[in-house]
Amino acid sequence: MQEELKEYATFVTTNRDGNEIEMAVIDEFEFEHKNYVVGALIENETVNEDGLFIFKLKEAGDEIKVEKITSQVDYQKIAQAYMEMDN
């Protein structure tokens, strides 16, 4: 039996070492009137959903940009809200 492959929207960000990495969009959500995206690493043409990362979504005209959440306190609060939404 052949497994159906999911297609994901993707975006590119940089890791701590400054290397570009491609991530798949797993989910999008709103929290405190701001939009966020949940991303998973793409490794060897597969999406690794074992570790998920949350980014801010910013609209710049017709373009949507993904930004890192720099405050650890904010990140924890947003991640907690997302986990509670997911239940």
Side-chain angles (χ1 to χ4, degrees), residues 5-6 13 22 25 57 63 69:
L5 295 175
K6 288 184 187 177
T13 188
E22 186 176 19
V25 175
L57 279 179
E63 219 176 286
I69 301 167

Side-chain angles (χ1 to χ4, degrees), residues 3 6-7 12 19 22-24 27-28 31 42 45-46 52 56 63 69-73 76 80 84 86-87:
E3 191 175 315
K6 288 184 187 177
E7 288 203 22
V12 175
N19 299 317
E22 186 176 19
M23 301 195 82
D27 202 359
E28 293 181 38
F31 175 66
I42 298 174
E45 302 295 319
T46 59
L52 300 177
K56 285 189 258 184
E63 219 176 286
I69 301 167
T70 54
S71 164
Q72 197 64 25
V73 172
Q76 293 298 327
Q80 182 66 38
E84 289 172 6
D86 205 31
N87 291 333

